[in-house]
Structure formats: structure tokens, C-alpha cells
């Protein structure tokens, strides 16, 4: 386990000239083959042989791990560097959404992927940026990521309220939750010709209104991790401090607290969108 | 009723200079406002005030109808002209599918919209063009529209067979049926990053695999009628004889047989993908 | 003359219901026919019958002017409203440049169009944003519009310096000057596959290196005024205060000083990128 | 020299499992690094370290050559296989031109690249397809590649004649000659918003009308060789017999006649758009 991480180079493979021992690097955990049709056209995230360090290969919850040199990129700061991966996911979601200048964008889910999608949408010049979550503390943090409005479905009919805020013009929706309810609400909010990105992974079976999709020419599109280009964009933005780790949403804990931290995330009691474990 | 039609100009509105009595014209039945955001960007089919002659306005099942001069376009042949509307629908579907050179394309439904989607995909240089329908006679006619393969789900597992034909590379799917089953099969066939267009309108509620959409970055997109530009493309292609009415798939009958013809289409006994009524 | 302006509604044409006397409106001076191929696909700026209020029709250097109601849009502030037109030009340039997240962008010319192109590129999430002009005071003002670097060709070899700043990665260039020299430098700076937008209008004949265009797959693209959608985006951004008139770059003068103001702009002595005349 | 070729596998490098001795293969002569930004996004033709077998590496005018296994693809026929490379160039040009359904397309130059650009435009559903060349025999052969009209500038004013044929609607131009005159005529023909692709390489310095580019929003774009995806498309089309070698335009000669064949091409006396040398 552990796929978002930075580390220090302690040993070099044969022929690796671009790094030295002691270098601080972030690792792109998505390993692609480089030769299939998807890789050849720049969609490494859809590589037919893709694998992920931390899932298919041993990950960063270990003292040392072995990774390809081509997956390593120098970073200035260990903590910020570990944010490249989730930011790249947000950049991908916003690319899949094709957010353009002054588009109104709704994001479901104030977890780290939702927040970084929000941030990427904000950087691309979105108009109204509406964040929806059931956790008020997380919603509050969304403002630092660019939310112009935050909505809690416990308190309001979010479809109705979004219509009120936007006058019905919702060009783009990003669902970073992955429940049938949020996916359906996203489709219900989108204007004709609007784009709804599914990035959240929870339940699989989801009922959608097929005829509404036709009559309003709605587009639904999946977003999975990121292309190599998205990772490079994320890295560049982190290195320029476009996103700075902040104690209000990022909690650093010792690796030993890994298990309790996961439990918190799963039972929903976690107040921090992001918890990092440090050795 | 009646939204696909040609007619003769018998009377001109005040100030109409571009037509004369006796001109043969096809009418674009989709009336858009020209002023809303959708119209302003060229998506007349998504006009917030769109209406359709034959649905919202009296249609061509009448001896005379009144239509805006701006919706009329000269045609050489009454029968061919009446095909502009359904061809424009197929052009739209293929535009929404973003069919590009050598893409493998699967089309569900060998009705007139499916066949014209097939034709448009063929014109745009598709690779394998697989047509799926439960009616063997209709399937047979698909070959004239560019089908390289035809499949009947009564005889084969279409998902499996399509994989065999394409080696799994299905870049684009067009569902011109509109049933949950065909939509689901379309999604199951599409390769990672593939695009599935919904144009058929039957049942609304459709279960889709939300997590598969994410992991394969599948795109689902609706297609409704056509933009003004698509109508112009359809007209131009018809005038250049890219599609020629043919007795094998187009049956011309007197207007009086309208009712029985509709019954045939509804109960599925119709052998002709397209029946035209003539006065 | 006078094509960037706001005004008060003093008299309504027959049938105009959406405005009242006393309303403050901005006028989109680009009049398009709404019916040609270009209009139908959302490219009103390329309308085959386009005309411009202030050029082809009497403009705002008059006490009263007559304009189509469909060209009027309510604004809150007369001064800010008059910036919609030039901002829309900048939005168009950036749309033509296809600026995307973290792209490095070079803008030639710190006049109002260059500055608003800079602003639009900044809103769309550009990375390094380099402004080039021979006037140091104007360059200085560019920082408020998002410039991360400013260069004066009197002091440095701009092609060389841009390479140094960007490491050679110049994804987009916008030339808001229109001289052969700036166009050529823009082409020389662009990376392979890069896009160079010509928006400035000065000299016509310009020598370009045709073989370099081929070998580096450079794209050169013109940008003229704005589509109706770009105007709407500009209006929306102004109304949200994304750009606020500021005395450091916008000088308001009585209409009587019109002639001397034009002279200043033409002889290059103008310190203000933008001078507004007020009645 | 020699960058368009097929050959038989006579010896395998270590670890090469996908080929056997005796296999007939076509070689993609464009070698890209696979790691730079351009490669990562699928633009191998713009690879910062690109090199070409036959130019930077020893080419096929030798009895044996050594090539990377990843650049080899099985083909059925040696002669047809050698056409993959030039066809891929045509596919790239048409992709850069963004030819879409019913676009009118003008191609300058009836050499092999012009003819294959014509063919690719035809496969993508172009409307009028006008071929321009000074050699009437070559023009004549263009009809087999999809030309609907052929023009010889010795006999007609091509800009005027193209306007007559198309009514002024020239969406796309491909210049496969590379002279200032053909590039300028291409720009003069293009409609507002039209796209002019430069693929021909002859003279470098070319005067273009910068202000016309602005006012008509013309796009000029270079096209160089092909991406890996374009090569795969070309290969697929050749294997499906979309283009079949034909004695009317393809002349096979013994390798010994190489020198005289080049002389013919250079002095303009060559009647065959394509000459292949065989061992």
C-alpha cells in the first residue's frame, strides 16, 4: 500500500545517471508500458498493461521500495511533493470536464480528490464553483481551494439550490464521491450539452435517465488517475506553490498511526481531507 | 405530425425574396430562437426554446403548412430531399461520436437513424463498421450503407463477437435503439477512452456500471436531432447523391396508407427501414 | 467612431420589452447576420456580412446613437462596462491560442488588447506569462494583469531571454502588436507544436520561415474581435469584478480631449494603455 | 538514404520475441525517444530527439540494415507495405487540416505526398476535392485518389477557379509543394476560419499577409511526417487495401536505377508520382 509519496534516493539502479543518492523525489506510481495504442497517443492512464505502485507493486508503506528511475521526479519539499499525485488526479478530472473560462462547475465530495479538482477548476478560470458535501468542516475548507459556494445536502435540495445560484447554467459537474445519488444529481444539474465527470469510485450499478441524456445531449465521462502530462502539470504547479500544504486540511502523522488513520477515513469521522504518514 | 418532408412553395410570406412559387424545398423542422447561449454557439439542437414542426407545430401530414422561410432550402428531388432530416440525425450522431479515420464503430439498430449513422460513419472513414439488429432483412440492407459486419443478437453473443472481430478495439459505439440492454452492451464493448453515443429513445431508466466508466474513462454522450450545420451537411450530401433513395430500403406509399404504415413500424412487422408518404 | 462604450437607454424601439428607459447598457458593436454559415456555427466574428458600430455604423463619439436591442446588455457600472469589448478581444485571443493549464505564454504588446490577453491567459491558468513591450511604464502595469516576467527588447534579446526563462517550452504566443518583427520573434520562440496568435494589426506583408513551420508543426492563427460567446464571457467577468478599472492604466477624460488623446496614442507618448472619454 | 521501405527479417536482436526470421515487415523510420514531453503526449513527430532512418541512421539503400524491433510491423505485401510511410504523411496532413465531413479541400502538388493527402481527405469524407499541379499527367492520376476537380495553374487562375467551384467555401487547404506562391495561393483561397496546412518543403522565406490572417482568422499549420498513431492508421489502411499499388502511379525499378530515378524526380521529367526500387 501507499501510492502517493516522496522519498530519498538511497540506491541507484545500473545506468541511472539523472539522479544521485540523497535526491528527494516524488514517484509517479502509475506504470505504463509505453508501447500500446493508449500510451502512444498520450493516454498512459488507459494503458492496457497499466499497474500501480502501492496496488500491483509493493508501495510506500515500507521503509525502502524499488521504483523505475523514469517514474521519479525531483522535488524541493517532501510534504508538498506527496501532493503531486492527488493534484494530478484533479487536473485530469478538470481536463476530462473540459472546464473553460467562466464555466460554472459543481464538485461533489470535499475529500482530497474533490478539493484538488476544485483547485484545478479554479486555476482554469471557472465561474461559480460550487462544492457539495455532507461534512460542514470539510466544506469550510473548500473555500481555500476556490469554492465560491458550499452546499450540504443535509440542509438543502442541492439540485434546486444549484439552479438558483447558476440560473440553470451548469456547464460542468465533477463527481468525486461515486454514489448513484451524487451521479444522478450531477446529471440532473447539468445544462444541455453539459459534461459530467465520474471520478469517485463507490457503488458500481447506477441508474441514469437514458432519454434525458439524449434530449439534453449530456456527456458523462470517466476520469482515472492521470496521463503523464497531467502528472507533469501537477508537479509543476506544486513546485510553483500553486498548492501549498496547510495544516487546516493536511495532517501529518507518524507511520505507526496508519491503521487508526485509515479507520477514521472509512468510518467518516476524519476531519482532515488528507492525512500523511511520515517516517 | 410529419417532420421529415419536402414540399412545393405555394405562397410566400411578406418580404420573402429568396423563393418563388413552385420552388421545391426541404424544411428543417427544428425551430430555434437564434438568441440563446446554445444558438449563439452553434448548438441549435439544444436551444432553450427549441420546437419541432410536426410535434409542437402542425406538420406535414396536412395538405398545406406554413413554415419560416429561413427553415426552407431548395432541393432537386422531393424524395431525396425528405431524407435530409434523418441523414442530418446520423451526421450528428457521428459528430458526437467523434468518429475519426479507421475507428472501429458499432451501430445498434438498423432503422433509418441507425442506417444513416452507419452511412455517416462510413463517409468519415471508419474502419470496421458493425451493425447489430434482431431483424435479418434490415441487417442485410445495412451493407449498402457501409456495414462491414452484421450481427443478430438472436444468434450470437454480440459483445463477444465484436471483441473477436475488432480484437477489442472499439473506438466508438452508436446506440440507435435506446433500450437498457443495447446501451449496456455498447458500454461493455467500448475500449478504454471509447465513446458511446445514445441517440435511440425508448426506455428512460438504464443501469450503467459507474465504476467501469471511471476505470476505463468511457464517455457516454447524447445526440439529439442536429445543429443547423449538420442539416446543411446532410443537404449537401443528398444533393451530391452521397445517399440515393433506393427501393430496397425506402418504400413510397400514398398518404392514405399512413395509419397502417405506422402500425407496421410499431408492431415490428415493417420490412422497410423507411416508409415515405406521398400526396 | 467609438466602438467600446456603455450608455443609457433613452428611447426604445417598437416591441423592445427587455429594457426600460434609464437602463445602463454595454453595446456589442459587432453586428452579425445570424444566418450565414459562420453565424450558424457560433463564429459571429467571421460573419460574411459583419459590420461594426463605430466603423461601418455611426459610433459612440456622438451624444445619441441607435443600436439593435439584441446588441445591448445591462451593466452595473459605465466605466467597467466599457471594458467588456476589449476584454472580449483578449478572451478570443486566448481561446484561439488554446491556452491550457500551466502553458507558458508570451504576449507581445502592452496596449489594452495585449494586457487583456494577458489577463485572460492568467485566468485560464497559464504558467509563465511573459509580457514584451518597448515601453517600460506599460510593462510595469502588466504585472497587475498577471505577467510573471516583463521584457523590453531595447534591453535584451527577447528570443534568447524567453528561452532562458522557459527552458524552451513556449506553448503559446500572442502577438498584439502586428509588426513583422514581433510576428517573427513569436514564431521563433514557439516550441514544436506551439501556437502563435496574430491579433495585432499593423503591417500586412510578413516574411515567415515556411520550412520551420513544417518541421516544428507550428500553428499560426488569426484572432479577430470575438464571438458572441466571448462577449458574454467578458461581460460576465467584468460583472464579477475579475477586471476592475484602475487609475494606473485607465484614464478617464472629457470627450473634448478626444483628439489630443488619439494623437498621444498615435505618436507613442501615451502613458496609459487605455483612455476613456466621458460625456 | 531510403526511409520508405519493407524488408525481410534476417536476424533478431537479443530478447526480440515478437518476430521470426523470414517475417516481412515495414519499418517506421521515425525514431522517437518515448520520454520527452512531445512523446508523452503522442506527438512523436515532434520528439526533441527525433531521428530518421535513412537520414540520421543508415537507410534502406543497403542490402541489410539494423532497426529497432519496436519500429517494425508485419505486412502482407512488400510493395504495398512500402506505401505505409507516405500514406501516414498524408494522414497526418489531413489530421492537421482537421478535415471534416463535406469540407471542401484544395491540395497543391500531385506528388506522392499530395496524392496521399488527397486520398486521406477523401476517406474522411471531404466534399469538393481540388488537386492543383503543373503536370497534366500527374493531375490525371489524382482522380484515382479522389480528386473531384483538377487544375493546372498554367491554364487557369487557380484562386479564381477554386472560388468558382466552391462558391468561396474552402474549409481546408494542404500545400504539398512548399513554394511561396503555392502557400500564398492557399491562404488566398481559404475561407474565414479556414485552415492551411504546410507540408511541402522547398523555399523557406515566404511572405504572408499578416493582417488578412487576423481579419479572416486564418489558421496556418505545419505537418511533419506522422505520429505513431498516424503510422498505425496508415498500416491498417494499407492492410485493408484502402490504397492499392497501381502501375499507373507506382513504378518499380531495380535498385541499380536509383540514381537515374532521382535525377528524373529532380529535373521534373518523372511521369510517375512514385518510383520504388527493388532488390
Amino acid at each position: 500500500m501507499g501510492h502517493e509519496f516522496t522519498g530519498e534516493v538511497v540506491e541507484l539502479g545500473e545506468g541511472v545517471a539523472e539522479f544521485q543518492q540523497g535526491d528527494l523525489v516524488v514517484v509517479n506510481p502509475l506504470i505504463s508500458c509505453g508501447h500500446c495504442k493508449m500510451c502512444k497517443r498520450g493516454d498512459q492512464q488507459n494503458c492496457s498493461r497499466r499497474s500501480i505502485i502501492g496496488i500491483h507493486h509493493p508501495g510506500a508503506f515500507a521503509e525502502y521500495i524499488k521504483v523505475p528511475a523514469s517514474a521519479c521526479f525531483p522535488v524541493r519539499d517532501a510534504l508538498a511533493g506527496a501532493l503531486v499525485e492527488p493534484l494530478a488526479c484533479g487536473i485530469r478530472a478538470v481536463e476530462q470536464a473540459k472546464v473553460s473560462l467562466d464555466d460554472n462547475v459543481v464538485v461533489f465530495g470535499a475529500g482530497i480528490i474533490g478539493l484538488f479538482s476544485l483547485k484545478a477548476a479554479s486555476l482554469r478560470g471557472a465561474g461559480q464553483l460550487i462544492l457539495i458535501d455532507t461534512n460542514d468542516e470539510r466544506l469550510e475548507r473548500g473555500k481555500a481551494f476556490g469554492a465560491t459556494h458550499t452546499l450540504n445536502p443535509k440542509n438543502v435540495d442541492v439540485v434546486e439550490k444549484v439552479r438558483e445560484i447558476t440560473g440553470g447554467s451548469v456547464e460542468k459537474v465533477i463527481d468525486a464521491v461515486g454514489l448513484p445519488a451524487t451521479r444522478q444529481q450531477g446529471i440532473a444539474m447539468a445544462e444541455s450539452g453539459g459534461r459530467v465527470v465520474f471520478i469517485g469510485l463507490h457503488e458500481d450499478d447506477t441508474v441514469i435517465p437514458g432519454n434525458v441524456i439524449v434530449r439534453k445531449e449530456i456527456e458523462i465521462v470517466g476520469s482515472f488517475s492521470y496521463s503523464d502530462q497531467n502528472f507533469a502539470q501537477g508537479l509543476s504547479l506544486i513546485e510553483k506553490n500553486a498548492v501549498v500544504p496547510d495544516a487546516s486540511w493536511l495532517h501529518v502523522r507518524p507511520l505507526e498511526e496508519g491503521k487508526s488513520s485509515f479507520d477514521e477515513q472509512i468510518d467518516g469521522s476524519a476531519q482532515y481531507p488528507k492525512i500523511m504518514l511520515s517516517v
Side-chain angles (χ1 to χ4, degrees), chain A:
Chain A
M1 289 175 74
H3 68 283
E4 304 166 9
F5 60 99
T6 45
E8 197 186 307
V9 174
V10 290
E11 208 181 304
L12 295 166
E14 216 185 297
V16 175
E18 63 272 45
F19 294 106
Q20 299 185 27
Q21 284 187 17
D23 282 355
L24 184 66
V25 295
V26 61
V27 178
N28 177 348
L30 191 130
I31 307 295
S32 52
C33 77
H35 296 293
C36 70
K37 170 180 160 185
M38 300 301 169
C39 285
K40 286 289 194 187
R41 71 182 195 203
D43 288 321
Q44 292 82 9
Q45 75 285 2
N46 292 334
C47 170
S48 57
R49 276 162 280 178
R50 80 177 171 220
S51 60
I52 296 174
I53 297 173
I55 298 179
H56 309 92
H57 308 280
F61 287 1
E63 201 162 353
Y64 301 101
I65 66 164
K66 196 174 128 184
V67 297
S70 59
C72 297
F73 302 89
V75 284
R76 292 177 308 170
D77 177 73
L79 196 55
L83 297 176
V84 172
E85 203 273 348
L87 178 57
C89 290
I91 290 170
R92 179 74 194 159
V94 164
E95 184 172 299
Q96 290 290 75
K98 298 190 183 159
V99 172
S100 82
L101 195 57
D102 205 42
D103 278 352
N104 293 329
V105 179
V106 174
V107 175
F108 284 89
I112 197 71
I113 298 297
L115 292 176
F116 279 173
S117 296
L118 198 69
K119 179 68 188 178
S122 172
L123 286 170
R124 281 184 67 154
Q128 307 289 8
L129 247 173
I130 305 170
L131 179 64
I132 298 177
D133 199 292
T134 52
N135 180 322
D136 284 328
E137 280 165 355
R138 288 187 170 210
L139 279 177
E140 191 55 32
R141 283 183 199 110
K143 290 172 186 166
F145 289 79
T148 59
H149 300 75
T150 57
L151 302 178
N152 187 329
K154 291 181 180 168
N155 306 329
V156 291
D157 175 334
V158 293
V159 176
E160 190 47 49
K161 189 69 188 172
V162 163
R163 188 173 298 130
E164 199 184 306
I165 294 168
T166 62
S169 290
V170 176
E171 282 89 354
K172 308 293 159 58
V173 177
I174 296 171
D175 172 52
V177 173
L179 293 173
T182 54
R183 289 170 179 158
Q184 287 154 0
Q185 288 167 355
I187 293 169
M189 285 168 184
E191 67 173 16
S192 290
R195 228 167 138 82
V196 180
V197 172
F198 288 2
I199 181 170
L201 284 163
H202 264 93
E203 285 180 38
D204 200 22
D205 282 358
T206 302
V207 178
I208 61 166
N211 294 352
V212 173
I213 301 298
V214 174
R215 290 207 180 90
K216 294 179 70 180
E217 289 200 337
I218 298 291
E219 298 192 289
I220 296 170
V221 52
S223 184
F224 183 80
S225 63
Y226 38 77
S227 66
D228 283 357
Q229 189 175 19
N230 298 141
F231 194 86
Q233 290 169 313
L235 176 58
S236 172
L237 288 169
I238 290 287
E239 292 295 285
K240 282 177 198 151
N241 293 318
V243 180
V244 180
D246 180 308
S248 74
W249 54 270
L250 177 67
H251 207 202
V252 182
R253 300 178 184 178
L255 183 54
E256 293 73 44
E257 292 182 24
K259 195 192 166 308
S260 61
S261 300
F262 272 96
D263 290 343
E264 253 177 58
Q265 295 274 355
I266 290 163
D267 70 18
S269 68
Q271 286 181 26
Y272 292 92
K274 193 74 196 164
I275 297 168
M276 288 239 179
L277 304 175
S278 176
V279 278

